Amino acid sequence: MYVAAQSPVVSYRRAVRWRAAYNEVRAQGDNPKPRANSWTAVLTQPLALGDLSLVELDCQEALADESKRLNHCVESYEDQSRSGGSHIVSVRDADGDSLSTAEIRLVRYRNGGMSCALIQHRGLDDGTPMKRCADAIGALLRALKDEPYASRMMALYLTRGRPGIGAGRLPIDIEHLFAVVESVRRTLKGNGKYDRLVEEALRCAG
């Protein structure tokens, strides 16, 4: 779960990671990939899980190809994917053949917490995916809660629906979090333990 951290140190580190990930996403938006019409993905390369691999689809051509492979309508998800709101992942076997396709989003709950959620998962002809595919997506959801994926997914979520990735100023969500943790940092100023941890977090931000 992406929730408000109880420890001020954890809050500060989280804010620094979000800012660093946001700046990375923004830089990629300013310097697009060589392949035309692609968007920024959370998985920068296929994720191997046993004899399966998980590939995030990051361009319309990839969505159309996946639709052809499995005879379903994922090719119509360009807008959701390009905005950073949805992440489309193809589960593939050792030969590179597509077995199923999943849509994953970062969702916010009433209590303010956030978590990666599986929106839908479809196999051939919109059928139910095999158990090993479902298990692979379950493992992916767990992996997305940890670094480096968590901060990257949050950065894409915060920039969703904007003209260009990372356009404009730092998102209000991050600015608010920084205001809170900066207030905590000022309160704790002079405490050597916290000062050292804050300095370490800042160095990690680059």
Side-chain angles (χ1 to χ4, degrees):
M1 293 284 289
Y2 299 74
V3 296
Q6 299 300 314
S7 162
V9 174
V10 173
S11 289
Y12 199 84
R13 281 178 165 168
R14 180 171 295 164
V16 168
R17 288 199 306 266
W18 285 5
R19 181 173 64 180
Y22 173 80
N23 288 337
E24 178 188 348
V25 169
R26 209 178 150 184
Q28 290 186 12
D30 293 337
N31 301 284
K33 298 179 183 179
R35 187 172 69 257
N37 299 320
S38 61
W39 48 80
T40 305
V42 172
L43 301 180
T44 55
Q45 58 186 6
L47 181 63
L49 291 172
D51 62 342
L52 299 178
S53 64
L54 304 180
V55 179
E56 186 171 350
L57 307 181
D58 63 354
C59 65
Q60 177 57 31
E61 290 77 9
L63 294 177
D65 179 57
E66 185 79 353
S67 280
K68 238 182 242 186
R69 291 174 178 224
L70 293 176
N71 191 34
H72 56 36
C73 65
V74 75
E75 65 182 339
S76 65
Y77 281 74
E78 179 180 8
D79 290 344
Q80 297 94 314
S81 301
R82 188 177 295 281
S83 71
S86 291
H87 303 275
I88 307 298
V89 176
S90 173
V91 182
R92 298 182 177 178
D93 63 18
D95 295 323
D97 293 328
S98 296
L99 302 177
S100 65
T101 315
E103 179 188 6
I104 294 171
R105 291 182 189 172
L106 191 60
V107 296
R108 189 186 297 272
Y109 298 108
R110 288 183 180 178
N111 65 0
M114 301 188 73
S115 182
C116 294
L118 175 63
I119 305 303
Q120 56 180 324
H121 189 191
R122 298 284 185 265
L124 180 65
D125 296 328
D126 267 336
T128 302
M130 292 180 284
K131 182 180 183 301
R132 63 178 180 142
C133 295
D135 290 343
I137 292 299
L140 173 62
L141 290 173
R142 292 190 292 275
L144 290 175
K145 294 179 181 179
D146 295 325
E147 299 303 330
Y149 304 121
S151 293
R152 190 170 177 81
M153 193 152 190
M154 179 60 72
L156 292 172
Y157 174 84
L158 293 173
T159 58
R160 70 197 185 287
R162 302 192 180 197
I165 295 175
R169 62 189 178 85
L170 207 62
I172 190 67
D173 307 59
I174 298 181
E175 289 181 343
H176 175 71
L177 181 54
F178 262 103
V180 172
V181 295
E182 282 294 332
S183 174
V184 172
R185 187 167 75 101
R186 285 195 297 272
T187 302
L188 296 171
K189 190 172 180 181
N191 182 317
K193 174 185 174 184
Y194 282 104
D195 285 346
R196 285 193 300 274
L197 289 169
V198 166
E199 288 173 6
E200 176 191 337
L202 285 171
R203 280 199 302 274
C204 291

